[in-house]
Amino acid sequence: MKHFLRVVTQFFVFLYCKCLWRGLKFVVRRFTGRCELQRICYNNKPGARRTLKIESSMRYSKYELLQSALGVHPDKVEKTIDDIMALKKINPDTNPQLGISLQASLLQIVGYRSLMAVVEKLRRESYDCENAEHENMLMKLWKELRPDTPLTGRISKQWCEIGFQGNDPKTDFRGMGLLGLQNLLYFAEHDKPTALQMLQDSLQPKHK
């Protein structure tokens, strides 16, 4: 019964998104004389809220141009905006601010999507003890957090002193990959007092 209700719910959601919502947008455009992107830009102040609405509108658009625009290269954003305005039959001379607003929002969307791709790539990259760059970062992390204590060996119980679970810290990067190590090292390098204080607090019995 639950499965049936879930299927029925999904069907009505699909029907709403594909038919009713598009029909509603058509009526609103006829009534206001503005497409959805125009209404978003004119009715919302610059910022995250407007950018998210623009992204959602483009993602669920029936036009492939708008959907693919979310993944364009930053250098092609300006041309893409021109193509979108031509597709929507919007005169740039009478709507100069619209192009500027769309370009600013699309640059934000493309930028954070590119950042997410880079971060995900790092997360998927496993720590490799045969990689000299990976090993150097790990050794640097030890020196940042234990500057006065020499490390007796690559495999050592000393790693537990800075929060690792076992003798070989590479096993602690299985979930976050190289991203975890880079974040730890960045924290230790750029906010060392806070990192050392957090480490000290974690070693106290009342914090365990």
Side-chain angles (χ1 to χ4, degrees), residues 55-89:
E55 181 182 19
S56 178
S57 176
M58 295 175 72
R59 181 189 298 121
Y60 296 110
S61 172
K62 65 180 180 181
Y63 297 108
E64 184 179 350
L65 172 62
L66 272 72
Q67 296 175 11
S68 61
L70 298 173
V72 300
H73 190 276
D75 294 341
K76 296 182 179 180
V77 166
E78 186 174 354
K79 182 182 182 305
T80 300
I81 296 301
D82 292 339
D83 293 341
I84 290 174
M85 294 187 70
L87 176 68
K88 293 290 187 176
K89 299 179 181 179

Side-chain angles (χ1 to χ4, degrees), residues 173-192:
F173 298 119
R174 286 171 294 188
M176 291 297 292
L178 199 61
L179 178 63
L181 176 57
Q182 287 197 358
N183 282 338
L184 286 172
L185 183 57
Y186 184 90
F187 183 32
E189 288 181 329
H190 292 81
D191 196 357
K192 194 169 185 176

Side-chain angles (χ1 to χ4, degrees), residues 6 9-10 15 51 68 84 104 107 111-112 122 129 140 144-145 164 170 173 182 191 206:
R6 188 181 302 113
T9 301
Q10 291 176 346
L15 184 65
T51 298
S68 61
I84 290 174
L107 281 171
Y112 82 71
L122 280 174
C129 58
K140 196 170 184 179
E144 291 291 338
L145 297 177
F164 289 101
K170 75 173 184 178
F173 298 119
Q182 287 197 358
D191 196 357
K206 66 178 181 179

Side-chain angles (χ1 to χ4, degrees), residues 35-207:
C35 70
E36 186 177 36
L37 289 176
Q38 286 177 294
R39 296 194 301 273
I40 292 173
C41 288
Y42 293 146
N43 297 334
N44 294 270
K45 295 180 180 180
R49 181 182 178 85
R50 185 170 74 179
T51 298
L52 287 172
K53 286 186 175 183
I54 289 174
E55 181 182 19
S56 178
S57 176
M58 295 175 72
R59 181 189 298 121
Y60 296 110
S61 172
K62 65 180 180 181
Y63 297 108
E64 184 179 350
L65 172 62
L66 272 72
Q67 296 175 11
S68 61
L70 298 173
V72 300
H73 190 276
D75 294 341
K76 296 182 179 180
V77 166
E78 186 174 354
K79 182 182 182 305
T80 300
I81 296 301
D82 292 339
D83 293 341
I84 290 174
M85 294 187 70
L87 176 68
K88 293 290 187 176
K89 299 179 181 179
I90 300 172
N91 188 339
D93 295 329
T94 56
N95 297 271
Q97 188 58 42
L98 178 63
I100 296 173
S101 299
L102 286 176
Q103 184 172 340
S105 293
L106 188 54
L107 281 171
Q108 289 179 334
I109 294 168
V110 171
Y112 82 71
R113 284 189 167 218
S114 298
L115 176 61
M116 287 173 60
V118 171
V119 169
E120 180 61 17
K121 182 179 179 181
L122 280 174
R123 189 191 69 80
R124 290 178 177 272
E125 184 176 353
S126 301
Y127 182 90
D128 183 5
C129 58
E130 299 297 324
N131 188 311
E133 184 180 356
H134 294 186
E135 287 287 286
N136 288 336
M137 284 192 291
L138 186 60
M139 294 301 109
K140 196 170 184 179
L141 178 64
W142 174 266
K143 292 177 181 178
E144 291 291 338
L145 297 177
R146 281 287 186 265
D148 301 323
T149 306
L151 187 65
T152 58
R154 170 62 179 76
I155 308 297
S156 169
K157 290 183 178 181
Q158 286 179 288
W159 290 111
C160 297
E161 297 178 14
I162 60 173
F164 289 101
Q165 298 179 11
N167 298 345
D168 190 349
K170 75 173 184 178
T171 59
D172 285 23
F173 298 119
R174 286 171 294 188
M176 291 297 292
L178 199 61
L179 178 63
L181 176 57
Q182 287 197 358
N183 282 338
L184 286 172
L185 183 57
Y186 184 90
F187 183 32
E189 288 181 329
H190 292 81
D191 196 357
K192 194 169 185 176
T194 303
L196 292 174
Q197 184 61 55
M198 289 181 64
L199 177 60
Q200 182 63 31
D201 290 343
S202 70
L203 299 175
Q204 300 301 319
K206 66 178 181 179
H207 293 288

